[in-house]
Amino acid sequence: MDWLLALIQAVLFMLLAPLFSGWLKWVKCLLQNRRPPPLWQPYRDLRKLFGKRPVVAETASWLFPVTPYVVFCTAALSGAIVPFFAVDLPTAAIADMIVLVGFFALGRFFLALAGMDVGTAFGGMGSSREMTIASLAEPAMLMATFTLALTASTTNISVAIDYLLDTGLALRPSFLFALGGLLLVAVAETGRIPIDNPATHLELTMIHEAMILEYSGRHLALIEWAGQIRLMLYGVLIANIFLPWGLAREFTPEALGIGAAAIATKLGVLAIVLALAETSVAKMRLFRVQEFLGFAYLLSLLGMLSHIILEV
């Protein structure tokens, strides 16, 4: 029964990721006084792409067609180990933040190689920019992780959430700093404004989109779907680590229903906050990204230091 619930949670995570992206786009269009697309528009786009035959360049090696499957599998595995609406599932044993960062790095590594594989100028440019941002974002994310690990004495996400639920509501300055740092990292890692704009293909500003310009058909569908899973993954991480209340700790229908309603509410609010932020700020110049992620690292470092000074 526990494994069945873990499987259901993992499948739901993958299936609901396009809906989360649709909700975010819907809210953003309303804020910009534009007519919003239907909430299920991402599902239509994926179905259309899956129905098309992928075109592979003659200069591409075996790495190019394999990469979309690697990227999707790493995203799906990441979604499977993160507590979604219940904790203490059998997958909790591998729900480790370091493992999660490793999955992110593996998918990014293959995508960067595939961007350079075909030999186009845009692919190489996008790969270079993506790895630059990753080298700045990953230390900030790890530092925020260490703050959580110092508090709960573990890097296991499920055990850490259990600890936070047991200790109850408490004002922790370290968590406020870590939350700020992780929010900035999430914006950078998911290619959102002000770091990147997924809705544009301007040559001089593209980062993530430049790496996948040569993909089409089901290959592009897998990469797009993986990106949607990754976006929701960061939302679930932020919601369940810093606001874990409502998560099901017993596998009864009532507890699972409350857990599902709680995470749906938290993700809905997070999407509104992200849409407000993207509507009110402009995309920043590429050379200012290091300042943005440097500030994220500083916040995460302050989180760890404030834990050592104020909370130990």
Side-chain angles (χ1 to χ4, degrees):
M1 179 63 185
D2 293 356
W3 277 104
L4 178 63
L5 189 59
L7 181 63
I8 292 173
Q9 182 172 266
V11 172
L12 279 177
F13 202 105
M14 287 190 291
L15 294 180
L16 293 178
L19 182 63
F20 180 64
S21 295
W23 167 247
L24 174 60
K25 189 174 292 184
W26 193 84
V27 174
K28 193 174 171 182
C29 287
L30 280 185
L31 292 173
Q32 295 174 348
N33 291 325
R34 294 189 290 132
R35 184 179 178 183
L39 288 176
W40 50 88
Q41 185 62 42
Y43 294 102
R44 289 178 174 173
D45 296 338
L46 289 178
R47 187 185 65 178
K48 183 177 69 175
L49 289 172
F50 272 117
K52 291 184 177 180
R53 185 175 64 87
V55 178
V56 180
E58 294 180 352
T59 55
S61 70
W62 60 270
L63 186 71
F64 187 80
V66 166
T67 294
Y69 298 96
V70 175
V71 172
F72 180 77
C73 287
T74 53
L77 283 173
S78 304
I81 65 173
V82 172
F84 187 26
F85 54 83
V87 291
D88 300 329
L89 291 172
T91 51
I94 55 172
D96 194 282
M97 283 297 289
I98 306 299
V99 174
L100 198 61
V101 174
F103 278 142
F104 289 163
L106 180 64
R108 183 184 301 111
F109 174 72
F110 270 84
L111 200 57
L113 286 181
M116 297 184 290
D117 187 54
V118 181
T120 61
F122 286 145
M125 180 189 71
S127 298
S128 171
R129 291 177 176 180
E130 179 78 8
M131 297 311 289
T132 302
I133 290 175
S135 66
L136 298 170
E138 283 180 1
M141 184 175 181
L142 284 173
M143 197 59 70
T145 302
F146 292 153
T147 303
L148 174 69
L150 286 173
T151 303
S153 302
T154 179
T155 55
N156 186 287
I157 303 171
S158 185
V159 176
I161 291 174
D162 266 337
Y163 172 82
L164 296 174
L165 287 171
D166 287 336
T167 53
L169 182 63
L171 179 61
R172 295 185 177 90
S174 61
F175 270 41
L176 293 179
F177 286 118
L179 172 61
L182 195 58
L183 280 172
L184 298 184
V185 170
V187 168
E189 288 278 65
T190 54
R192 309 299 305 187
I193 294 175
I195 300 298
D196 195 6
N197 186 358
T200 182
H201 286 82
L202 294 175
E203 297 90 355
L204 297 179
T205 61
M206 283 190 298
I207 298 176
H208 179 76
E209 295 296 319
M211 292 188 297
I212 61 174
L213 272 181
E214 298 299 320
Y215 280 109
S216 59
R218 64 174 179 275
H219 290 165
L220 182 59
L222 287 171
I223 293 175
E224 294 285 350
W225 196 358
Q228 292 162 355
I229 292 173
R230 194 169 170 138
L231 176 63
M232 195 166 91
L233 190 60
Y234 272 102
V236 170
L237 271 179
I238 291 168
N240 283 345
I241 289 177
F242 297 100
L243 301 167
W245 299 280
L247 275 171
R249 305 179 76 181
E250 299 174 355
F251 303 146
T252 60
E254 293 81 8
L256 294 174
I258 293 173
I263 190 61
T265 305
K266 286 184 262 187
L267 286 178
V269 173
L270 268 178
I272 293 172
V273 172
L274 180 57
L276 278 169
E278 289 193 342
T279 305
S280 56
V281 299
K283 185 182 178 307
M284 66 174 54
R285 294 174 60 193
L286 181 65
F287 296 109
R288 295 194 61 190
V289 172
Q290 57 183 348
E291 299 172 13
F292 182 89
L293 290 173
F295 184 60
Y297 182 82
L298 178 63
L299 285 177
S300 301
L301 181 63
L302 285 174
M304 192 173 70
L305 292 177
S306 61
H307 171 79
I308 295 171
I309 296 170
L310 302 175
E311 300 171 17
V312 175

